[in-house]
Amino acid sequence: MNSVAPSLGFRDLTLTALGAGLVVALGAAPPIPLGILPVPITLQTLGVMLAGLLLGPRRGATAMLVFVALVAIGLPVLAGGRGGFGILVGPTAGYLLGWMPAAMVVGILARHGERIGSSVARIACYIGACLFGGVIVIHACGVAWLSLVTGLDWGKAFFGTLLFVPGDVVKAVLAAIICRRIEIFMTLDRR
Amino acid sequence: MTTSHGAPRGRSGALAALCALAVLGAMLTQVDRIDLLAPAAVACAVGLAIAHGSFRTALRDIRMALLVVAITALFDVATGGGMNGLRLFLRFSALVCAAQIVTTSWGWAELTGAVVTLLRPLDRLGLLDAERCAFTLMLAIRFVPVMAQEIAEIREAQALRGLDRSVLALVVPLGLRILLRAEEIAQAVDLRAGPPASIGHHGGSRPIAASSLSSRAAS
């Protein structure tokens, strides 16, 4: 086939599949319910940030696409053993669909960070990448979807999402530290 | 895991169901009348109970999704949304039930085939490679249990060191194992696929039969 976009090689495809597997694996940790709010806190968003940081923008976003496809075909890969098309048509589907652009943004910003020599500055850059991609992009997608499909006021939808921000900030810091520790053992090829 | 019940209905049936679901979703978003939304929600719930064979097991599968819908609707009502909350609940309950009928009635292999078929137009436009998408999906499915096993091994090892509650102690070795394993698998697949010139390690453009890729992923 004559693909305009350069196709991914086997190494990229395996990394993509295993990146999706990483997010599945992190879903094994039990979710923390947040009272009235319908979306629990899970470690899977840490996996989204790590996919962008470790695999790079293209492979990270593809890994998240694969993950969403796994959810769609009914595998219980979401935290709490959930899966199926029902998740993708619900009012909170935007948070899940936002994982694809989130991993891409984290990967793009992390690529800039890898040129920084100082370890502390590089971790700060990775934290910034995770905060922007893994927090702002995901929440923006989630709020936009919630507001558009349910007709909820943007302000109300935004208010609901604020409760998740402290947990996500902690996850962003964790993701940056994990990535830096892995970089000690191997050079990451972000593409 | 959600599995298909009854006889397999095939990829074309799954494809038709996905298209029907998309049409239903588009129609439901255009309807605001509660006297139309309520029967739609009841019909979809009854359809799900029939597809599942039992209302209780059907409810078990969708209770989390319905809870999310209910809480969102209540939030809307509590913040002055009025009847819009009821509309929201009925619309999304119908959609969730209809989506679950699709997930219940077809297995993941048929749905994967249907998703790949839906990706073909994008493939023809050159935006993606549907065969490689199928390969990646099969590979991911194949590795879900492997990842669970990896996590169990790491947790066991870290528990012996008294680090069983540390996220870093779990995720750092997991990330390293994933990256190393991907390299090993890629090399193994390359060796089985033939000389590097035929299938590029970082982006060969030669077409590859989906069945061949899927069998490699499954092996």
Side-chain angles (χ1 to χ4, degrees):
Chain A
M1 76 209 48
N2 300 314
S3 185
V4 174
S7 56
L8 295 168
F10 279 139
R11 185 169 169 271
D12 303 313
L13 296 182
T14 349
L15 274 170
T16 296
L18 288 173
L22 171 72
V23 182
V24 174
L26 289 173
I32 305 161
L34 270 184
I36 177 180
L37 284 174
V39 189
I41 289 183
T42 70
L43 270 188
Q44 288 190 308
T45 41
L46 174 71
V48 179
M49 296 174 197
L50 282 174
L53 285 177
L54 300 179
L55 307 179
R58 195 155 168 243
R59 291 188 302 210
T62 315
M64 292 309 106
L65 179 65
V66 168
F67 183 84
V68 171
L70 293 179
V71 173
I73 61 174
L75 296 183
V77 291
L78 277 171
R82 293 173 300 141
F85 274 104
I87 306 284
L88 292 179
V89 297
T92 54
Y95 290 95
L96 181 61
L97 297 173
W99 288 7
M100 288 176 272
M104 178 169 276
V105 170
V106 171
I108 290 170
L109 295 175
R111 260 189 190 170
H112 294 283
E114 66 191 8
R115 297 184 198 129
I116 299 169
S118 158
S119 185
V120 176
R122 195 186 284 195
I123 285 187
C125 180
Y126 289 164
I127 292 173
C130 291
L131 286 176
F132 189 74
V135 182
I136 295 174
V137 171
I138 291 179
H139 286 273
C141 292
V143 169
W145 178 279
L146 187 64
S147 183
L148 287 173
V149 302
T150 63
L152 264 180
D153 183 51
W154 284 77
K156 289 179 201 168
F158 177 73
F159 174 75
T161 205
L162 283 178
L163 279 178
F164 295 93
V165 173
D168 285 344
V169 171
V170 173
K171 282 183 241 174
V173 175
L174 269 178
I177 294 170
I178 289 165
C179 176
R180 192 68 196 113
R181 288 210 182 164
I182 290 175
E183 277 183 335
I184 294 168
F185 295 102
M186 59 168 53
T187 308
L188 295 173
D189 167 30
R190 296 189 178 98
R191 56 178 73 216
Chain B
M1 186 183 298
T2 309
T3 54
S4 64
H5 295 257
R9 292 159 176 85
R11 183 189 296 190
S12 53
L15 187 63
L18 287 181
C19 295
L21 182 63
V23 171
L24 178 71
M27 282 167 62
L28 284 174
T29 54
Q30 300 302 316
V31 177
D32 274 340
R33 286 173 54 186
I34 289 173
D35 59 329
L36 292 177
L37 287 172
V42 171
C44 288
V46 170
L48 178 61
I50 291 168
H52 234 295
S54 145
F55 188 73
R56 188 175 289 177
T57 50
L59 192 64
R60 191 189 59 207
D61 275 3
I62 59 164
R63 69 174 176 219
M64 270 305 290
L66 283 183
L67 188 66
V68 167
V69 171
I71 290 173
T72 311
L74 279 175
F75 183 68
D76 192 33
V77 171
T79 52
M83 291 303 279
N84 191 46
L86 182 59
R87 269 186 214 105
L88 193 157
F89 179 74
L90 293 172
R91 183 179 292 139
F92 279 98
S93 298
L95 212 45
V96 164
C97 288
Q100 197 60 29
I101 291 173
V102 176
T103 310
T104 303
S105 305
W106 283 273
W108 61 264
E110 292 152 346
L111 287 172
T112 304
V115 169
V116 171
T117 308
L118 286 173
L119 291 177
R120 294 263 178 231
L122 296 176
D123 191 343
R124 288 196 195 97
L125 290 172
L127 293 174
L128 53 79
D129 188 330
E131 287 165 6
R132 282 170 188 263
C133 286
F135 170 71
T136 315
L137 208 52
M138 296 296 288
L139 204 59
I141 292 168
R142 170 75 181 79
F143 278 101
V144 167
V146 176
M147 297 294 293
Q149 196 183 336
E150 295 261 9
I151 282 208
E153 283 174 15
I154 295 169
R155 272 191 166 161
E156 199 177 323
Q158 302 293 23
L160 289 172
R161 298 185 180 100
L163 297 169
D164 48 331
R165 296 184 71 85
S166 164
V167 176
L168 286 179
L170 170 71
V171 185
V172 172
L174 184 65
L176 277 168
R177 281 194 186 198
I178 284 174
L179 295 169
L180 295 173
R181 190 180 271 267
E183 195 65 53
E184 283 170 16
I185 295 165
Q187 281 175 2
V189 173
D190 269 354
L191 282 172
R192 292 183 70 177
S198 60
I199 299 166
H201 193 74
H202 293 300
S205 58
R206 210 178 93 166
I208 305 162
S211 58
S212 149
L213 280 172
S214 302
S215 62
R216 274 180 223 151
S219 64

